[in-house]
Amino acid sequence: EAGVAQSPRYKIIEKRQSVAFWCNPISGHATLYWYQQILGQGPKLLIQFQNNGVVDDSQLPKDRFSAERLKGVDSTLKIQPAKLEDSAVYLCASSPLRGASTDTQYFGPGTRLTVL
Amino acid sequence: GQQLNQSPQSMFIQEGEDVSMNCTSSSIFNTWLWYKQDPGEGPVLLIALYKAGELTSNGRLTAQFGITRKDSFLNISASIPSDVGIYFCAGDDSWGKLQFGAGTQVVVTP
């Protein structure tokens, strides 16, 4: 079974530029998550989708971050405009069911973003 | 929001030694999880704990869900070189919303 796919793996941009990340979850997984992992910290949840609907985006900085999962499968996360403090690894995860606490989340390899 | 305190921040151990790390929270969690992250990869689930007082093993790994539901620990017995990595605790308060600790970096020397 293929894992969670993410692209690109690395991205370097200048501040105030825009950037987009793509995630393809494990086939059939209903719930998709985007996390931000700053160097030296644990992942922090940005947004959770169930199918194509948003379950939780309380920690998403909505003035500059946006995410969509239009067909309930793959997802994109966008930052516009980027700030220096957005430098981090952006992890995508998926889980089979409806995001219950007993539902295992499978993580992709992440996209490492550097903002100069 | 809830804060997870994970300790120690890093550990340098010799191959064959046991490793212990723990995580405490200011509030209650319904589920405690332990993940391992290798460089350039996403976290991988090691052990999941669903009930206060639960003690669960996965090979050389043993984890416990504290009876107060505010803490958990992970033990690794007889460490080997491939145990190197960053170990994260995570608490789930409801519906899969995980909060992670800052991680414990484990370095194993021969």
Side-chain angles (χ1 to χ4, degrees):
Chain A
E1 181 182 71
V4 176
Q6 290 188 247
S7 67
R9 291 297 309 274
Y10 305 92
K11 190 73 177 179
I12 300 174
I13 62 173
E14 294 188 346
K15 59 183 179 183
R16 291 187 289 273
Q17 285 187 322
S18 302
V19 64
F21 313 125
W22 175 81
C23 172
N24 191 22
I26 294 173
S27 178
H29 279 197
T31 307
L32 185 147
Y33 312 79
W34 282 102
Y35 289 86
Q36 179 192 59
Q37 186 175 22
I38 293 172
L39 185 65
Q41 298 181 18
K44 184 184 87 171
L45 179 69
L46 293 175
I47 189 167
Q48 176 183 347
F49 291 94
Q50 183 178 320
N51 297 311
N52 61 350
V54 175
V55 174
D56 187 340
D57 63 357
S58 58
Q59 298 190 94
L60 186 74
K62 299 180 187 65
D63 58 333
R64 298 184 300 106
F65 286 64
S66 64
E68 59 183 14
R69 192 186 184 199
L70 290 176
K71 296 182 180 178
V73 182
D74 56 353
S75 175
T76 55
L77 176 69
K78 297 179 182 177
I79 308 175
Q80 180 179 7
K83 293 185 176 181
L84 296 177
E85 59 260 37
D86 298 332
S87 294
V89 174
Y90 291 84
L91 294 163
C92 179
S94 69
S95 63
L97 301 175
R98 53 193 182 102
S101 59
T102 56
D103 202 12
T104 298
Q105 295 185 28
Y106 298 87
F107 285 81
T111 296
R112 181 176 295 278
L113 173 67
T114 301
V115 182
L116 302 175
Chain B
Q2 295 171 331
Q3 298 292 323
L4 289 189
N5 296 306
Q6 186 172 348
S7 64
Q9 189 173 13
S10 60
M11 304 184 71
F12 292 81
I13 59 173
Q14 285 197 319
E15 187 174 351
E17 288 185 341
D18 296 346
V19 175
S20 289
M21 62 194 77
N22 68 80
C23 210
T24 59
S25 168
S26 57
S27 301
I28 289 170
F29 283 115
N30 293 323
T31 302
W32 280 97
L33 305 159
W34 286 92
Y35 285 83
K36 182 184 180 218
Q37 187 173 27
D38 292 328
E41 301 294 330
V44 174
L45 182 65
L46 299 174
I47 290 181
L49 302 154
Y50 301 111
K51 194 165 55 175
E54 179 181 356
L55 186 71
T56 297
S57 293
N58 178 9
R60 295 178 295 106
L61 278 62
T62 302
Q64 184 158 28
F65 192 146
I67 57 172
T68 65
R69 296 168 64 194
K70 292 184 179 181
D71 62 323
S72 178
F73 74 76
L74 175 70
N75 284 344
I76 306 172
S77 63
S79 59
I80 59 177
S82 61
D83 290 334
V84 166
I86 303 177
Y87 292 78
F88 291 98
C89 62
D92 185 343
D93 51 8
S94 63
W95 300 109
K97 183 176 178 180
L98 299 183
Q99 295 189 40
F100 284 82
T104 295
Q105 171 94 52
V106 173
V107 177
V108 180
T109 58

